[in-house]
Structure formats: structure tokens, C-alpha cells
Amino acid sequence: MATESNARPRHAGPRSAALGDRIRPADVALLGSVPVTLGLVSLLPRATRRSLVFDYAAPTLPTAFASAFVHLDPVHLLVNVVLYALLAATSLALDLASGHRRRFYTAFPTFVLVFPVVLSYLNLAVPRSATTLGFSGVAMAFVGYLPLALADYLDARFGIGPATQLAPALFLSSLALVAVLSVRSAFALVGDRATLLALAASLGALRYALVVAERSDLRARCRRLLGTPGAVELTAVAAALVFAVPFVAFPASPERGAGVLNLYSHLLGYALGFLVPFVTVSARRFVAGS
């Protein structure tokens, strides 16, 4: 946590090539580049790492980028690496299965190389004397990306969609959850009461996601999904991450030792992680169809 296109197969179903056959060494290298970089940075002397932290009172472009890769606490580092690994690997698996490898290869460097600077400078919109570091803001971008990747996977492989409506519906469903979790302390909600309210808000919005996906033959398409090896597991993991990660990223008590979780960066990374790819994809589809 931070502290203060390729042609795609339509409804390919179980005849499509197995996911394992689509993974290339370059895919593994790309995913592994972030943990390796974070690990190497963690080996730098502590004083050097502190010098790379983004200071709101004295912002610089180099620290705006580098601070996302800096962790002073090994637990902080481990949490962010595990979170990133789950999110990025699931996003890649969905995009490979739906024929969107090229899109992932565009989104990945955008998140990892551009978002650190963007998130750092957007933090200056809230004047305060503080510093920020850690990769979780970038990791949250992959949470935002998951609704688009999952919707395209369900639409391309099983005709459950359309993705242009299902993706924003899934995003808004998880946004309802994030909204309640991020403000629950302001309403003095604790424990199970906050959790139940968050889940109720999310499930209410998720109902809309199910409505936009309803078709006369939806049951047949869902049966095809259930009968495709690995499809249920991949869908379940992606959906679980979309709705479970917010509980980690937006806890009731953001204090962590001498610091505090940067919930603002988490929210920005999450929102931009969906909006930037979705708007880009929608614009391309509009141009192609015009």
C-alpha cells in the first residue's frame, strides 16, 4: 500500500487454444520485470531510498516517478508485490484468452511508466506537508483494468455481454463498493455494519451489470462457460479480485505505524486504470465503425 488490436475470436468457446499454449516467454518477462525492479530498489541503502521519495513540499519529476518503486518496510514491499502479481497475471490471462495481448502490452507500460508520475502530481491537488511512496497506486490501476478485461473475455469467448456495456457496469459495481469503504469512517460505521453496507451497495450496482448482460439465450451461454475447462476458475478469480481488493486498499483504519495509507492515490489509480483503457478502446471502436 502507498503511504502518505489483435483480431479476437468471437464466442470461440472450448475449441480455442488452451491458455497455457498462448503464454510466451516475453509475457513472463514482462510480468516479472516489476517484482525484479522493486526487489533491486529495496536493496539500495535506506538513505538512497529516502532521497527518492516524492515530497509534496519539494516535488521533482525524478522522484515523482521513482517514489512508486520505493519501499522502506519489507512488509509494505511484500504486500504490493503479491497484490501486483495477482492482478497483472489475471489481467494478462484474460487478455490472452480473449485475443487482446496487444492491448495488455499497451496498458502495462502506461500503468508502470506513466501512472507513477501522473499519480504523484495529482496528489499535489490536495495541499499538505507529506511524502508518498509505494507501488499500490499503480497496482490499483490493474484493479480498474480488470472489469474491461473480464467483460471482453466473457463477450469474446461466450457471448455474455456486450462488453461495451458490461465493462462499465462491472466497474460501477466495484466503484459503489469503493465509495462506501472509502467514506465509512466518516459515518462512524465499524466492523460488520460497514462491510454489510459496502456489500449491499456493490450488489445493488451489480444487479445492473446482470441486467445489461441478459439475453434470451444467456443460460445457454453460461452453460458453455461452465463447461469450458478453466473458464469458471479464471472468471471467479477475476471477479473475486475486483470485489475483494477494495477491502484491502480502503481499510476502515488507514493508519500504518508512523504513516497512513494514501487512499487518494488508491482511488486515482483504480479509476484511471479503468477510464484510460476503456475510453481509448471505445474511441477506436467508434472511429472504426464510422
Side-chain angles (χ1 to χ4, degrees):
M1 298 295 103
T3 55
E4 211 43 333
S5 99
N6 291 339
R8 63 175 182 169
R10 294 293 301 177
H11 314 163
R15 295 183 180 180
S16 297
L19 180 60
D21 297 334
R22 303 182 184 189
I23 299 176
R24 303 171 181 171
D27 301 330
V28 178
L30 184 71
L31 293 181
S33 63
V34 167
V36 169
T37 301
L38 295 178
L40 291 175
V41 172
S42 71
L43 297 177
L44 295 174
R46 190 176 183 85
T48 302
R49 282 179 282 154
R50 284 190 175 278
S51 70
L52 298 176
V53 170
F54 187 72
D55 189 339
Y56 300 145
T60 67
L61 184 58
T63 58
F65 173 76
S67 60
F69 301 90
V70 174
H71 300 81
L72 301 178
D73 178 1
V75 175
H76 184 199
L77 172 63
L78 178 62
V79 170
N80 281 341
V81 168
V82 171
L83 186 64
Y84 155 80
L86 289 172
L87 295 167
T90 303
S91 298
L92 176 59
L94 290 168
D95 278 352
L96 291 180
S98 62
H100 287 97
R101 174 186 268 110
R102 182 178 300 177
R103 185 179 68 193
F104 184 85
Y105 270 69
T106 300
F108 184 94
T110 301
F111 294 167
V112 174
L113 301 179
V114 178
F115 274 29
V117 176
V118 172
L119 295 177
S120 292
Y121 277 100
L122 284 176
N123 270 277
L124 299 181
V126 183
R128 59 203 187 278
S129 178
T131 60
T132 188
L133 68 152
F135 198 74
S136 60
V138 178
M140 287 301 296
F142 287 96
V143 184
Y145 183 76
L146 273 177
L148 176 60
L150 178 57
D152 273 328
Y153 169 69
L154 293 175
D155 190 13
R157 293 294 303 277
F158 307 104
I160 300 175
T164 52
Q165 297 181 39
L166 185 56
L170 289 170
F171 172 71
L172 291 174
S173 300
S174 60
L175 182 62
L177 176 62
V178 169
V180 175
L181 291 175
S182 60
V183 301
R184 58 181 170 177
S185 58
F187 292 97
L189 296 174
V190 295
D192 293 338
R193 292 175 59 197
T195 301
L196 289 174
L197 181 58
L199 289 175
S202 181
L203 290 174
L206 184 58
R207 170 58 184 160
Y208 171 73
L210 296 176
V211 168
V212 302
E214 284 181 356
R215 294 181 180 179
S216 59
D217 57 352
L218 180 60
R219 289 185 178 179
R221 297 175 188 274
C222 288
R223 283 196 295 268
R224 186 197 302 178
L225 185 153
L226 293 172
T228 302
V232 174
E233 292 82 356
L234 180 56
T235 301
V237 168
L241 288 172
V242 168
F243 293 103
V245 171
F247 285 95
V248 178
F250 301 93
S253 178
E255 289 80 12
R256 292 294 182 273
V260 61
L261 295 182
N262 192 339
L263 303 186
Y264 179 57
S265 279
H266 291 181
L267 181 59
L268 287 173
Y270 160 79
L272 291 175
F274 174 79
L275 291 174
V276 171
F278 181 75
V279 171
T280 301
V281 169
S282 298
R284 288 177 178 173
R285 289 172 178 170
F286 176 79
V287 171
S290 61

